[in-house]
C-alpha cells in the first residue's frame, strides 16, 4: 500500500529550530512536497525535493533521502506565525498518472 | 491574495438540497483538483481535470458531480448529501505539461460545508 507517516503534534519555542520528519512507502516516487496550512486556511506550497539532499529557502529547508524513504522540514529562528500544520505529500505513480499521496500533517505549536 | 478563489466560503445545506461549489484560478494553470479535508484524515483527492479532461475520479459517490467548462473554472455540484459529507472542500490548480502530470498545487481557501 501507499503510506506517509508524520508526527501528529510538535511544540517548540520562539527563536529555536525544529525538525519535522516524514517517512513514506509508495509505489514509485517522483518528488516530495511540503505544505503549510494555518488553521482555517488553504495549504500553501513550501518546498519540493526530487533529488537527494538539502534544499534551502530562507528560514525553511527540506531534506530528502530516497533510499531511506525519508524527508524532513527544518524551520529555523521560529516565529509565532509558524504555528500551523505541516503537510508532507509524495508524488507517486498510478498507471500513467502521477498523483499526490498526502500525510495527515504535523501540527506545530510555537510558544513564546 | 490567492490566485485561486472559491465560493461560497461557508455552506449549510439539508440532505435534500442541491447546491454548487465554484472555483476559479487566475494563474494560467491547466489542471484543477477537488479535495475533501476532514478532521484527522489526510487530504482526499476527489477529482482531477488536466488539459480540460477528467483524468481521475477516486471512487467518489455520484452525489458529487464535477464540471470543468474551461481551464480556469471548476464546479462541484452537490445533491442529496449525507451528514458525513460535512468537511472542508478545497480546490487547487497546477501546471501540467501532459495528461496525468502534476506539479506543485496552489489551493483556494476552501468551502466549509455542513450537511444537516
Amino acid at each position: 500500500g501507499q503510506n506517509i507517516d508524520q508526527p501528529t503534534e510538535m511544540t517548540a519555542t520562539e527563536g529555536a529550530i525544529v525538525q519535522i520528519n516524514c517517512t513514506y512507502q509508495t509505489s514509485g516516487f517522483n518528488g516530495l512536497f511540503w505544505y503549510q496550512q494555518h488553521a482555517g486556511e488553504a495549504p500553501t506550497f513550501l518546498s519540493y525535493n526530487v533529488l537527494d539532499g538539502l534544499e534551502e529557502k530562507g528560514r525553511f529547508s527540506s531534506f530528502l533521502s530516497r533510499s531511506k524513504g525519508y524527508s524532513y522540514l527544518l524551520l529555523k529562528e521560529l516565529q509565532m506565525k509558524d504555528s500551523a500544520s505541516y503537510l508532507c505529500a509524495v508524488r507517486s505513480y498510478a498507471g500513467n498518472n502521477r498523483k499526490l499521496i498526502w500525510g495527515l500533517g504535523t501540527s506545530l505549536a510555537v510558544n513564546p | 491574495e490567492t490566485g485561486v478563489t472559491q465560493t461560497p466560503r461557508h455552506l449549510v445545506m439539508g440532505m435534500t438540497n442541491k447546491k454548487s461549489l465554484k472555483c476559479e484560478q487566475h494563474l494560467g494553470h491547466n489542471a484543477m483538483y477537488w479535495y475533501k479535508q476532514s478532521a484527522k484524515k489526510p487530504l482526499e483527492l476527489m477529482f482531477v481535470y488536466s488539459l480540460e479532461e477528467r483524468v481521475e475520479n477516486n471512487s467518489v459517490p455520484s452525489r458529487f458531480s464535477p464540471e470543468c467548462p474551461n481551464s480556469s473554472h471548476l464546479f462541484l455540484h452537490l445533491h442529496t448529501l449525507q451528514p458525513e459529507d460535512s468537511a472542508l472542500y478545497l480546490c487547487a490548480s497546477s501546471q501540467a505539461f501532459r495528461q496525468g502530470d502534476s506539479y506543485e498545487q496552489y489551493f483556494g481557501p476552501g468551502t466549509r460545508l455542513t450537511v444537516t
Side-chain angles (χ1 to χ4, degrees):
Chain A
Q2 314 226 65
N3 193 51
I4 294 185
D5 286 315
Q6 307 177 232
T8 305
E9 295 178 341
M10 298 183 72
T11 58
T13 305
E14 195 174 14
I17 299 173
V18 71
Q19 177 174 311
I20 302 174
N21 295 326
C22 171
T23 57
Y24 63 88
Q25 293 174 304
T26 57
S27 55
F29 175 86
N30 194 248
L32 185 144
F33 298 83
W34 283 97
Y35 283 79
Q36 179 191 61
Q37 186 176 22
H38 286 101
E41 297 183 13
T44 55
F45 169 72
L46 287 178
S47 69
Y48 171 67
N49 295 70
V50 68
L51 299 176
D52 290 350
L54 189 69
E55 295 280 342
E56 296 189 73
K57 222 188 240 188
R59 293 190 300 115
F60 293 5
S61 303
S62 56
F63 172 83
L64 175 67
S65 168
R66 289 172 296 171
S67 62
K68 295 182 180 177
Y70 168 69
S71 173
Y72 66 73
L73 181 69
L74 193 71
L75 292 74
K76 303 176 187 174
E77 301 168 17
L78 280 172
Q79 302 175 10
M80 299 296 290
K81 67 178 182 180
D82 297 329
S83 293
S85 182
Y86 291 86
L87 307 173
C88 172
V90 172
R91 188 163 63 194
S92 179
Y93 292 99
N96 290 326
N97 292 340
R98 305 180 198 183
K99 62 187 294 183
L100 283 185
I101 312 297
W102 293 85
L104 279 169
T106 299
S107 179
L108 173 66
V110 179
N111 300 317
Chain B
E1 181 182 341
T2 180
V4 181
T5 58
Q6 288 187 244
T7 54
R9 294 293 308 277
H10 300 272
L11 178 62
V12 178
M13 59 187 288
M15 289 191 283
T16 57
N17 291 158
K18 287 185 180 181
K19 296 285 185 184
S20 295
L21 309 185
K22 179 183 176 183
C23 176
E24 185 172 358
Q25 60 96 1
H26 311 274
L27 299 169
H29 290 159
N30 54 14
M32 296 187 78
Y33 311 77
W34 279 117
Y35 283 93
K36 177 183 179 183
Q37 189 173 38
S38 306
K40 305 204 185 296
K41 287 188 175 181
L43 274 171
E44 299 174 52
L45 179 64
M46 300 175 72
F47 301 104
V48 181
Y49 280 83
S50 180
L51 302 174
E52 299 186 15
E53 290 194 27
R54 190 194 307 184
V55 297
E56 194 152 347
N57 176 346
N58 281 334
S59 303
V60 179
S62 59
R63 56 186 183 269
F64 295 91
S65 174
E67 179 189 359
C68 188
N70 54 61
S71 59
S72 298
H73 294 86
L74 185 65
F75 296 89
L76 188 62
H77 303 299
L78 316 171
H79 64 98
T80 60
L81 294 191
Q82 305 297 311
E84 60 265 29
D85 297 324
S86 298
L88 181 67
Y89 288 84
L90 291 163
C91 173
S93 71
S94 75
Q95 198 55 271
F97 293 103
R98 65 174 180 87
Q99 284 281 353
D101 212 346
S102 175
Y103 290 79
E104 67 265 21
Q105 297 174 16
Y106 294 82
F107 286 82
T111 295
R112 174 67 63 185
L113 173 67
T114 303
V115 181
T116 61

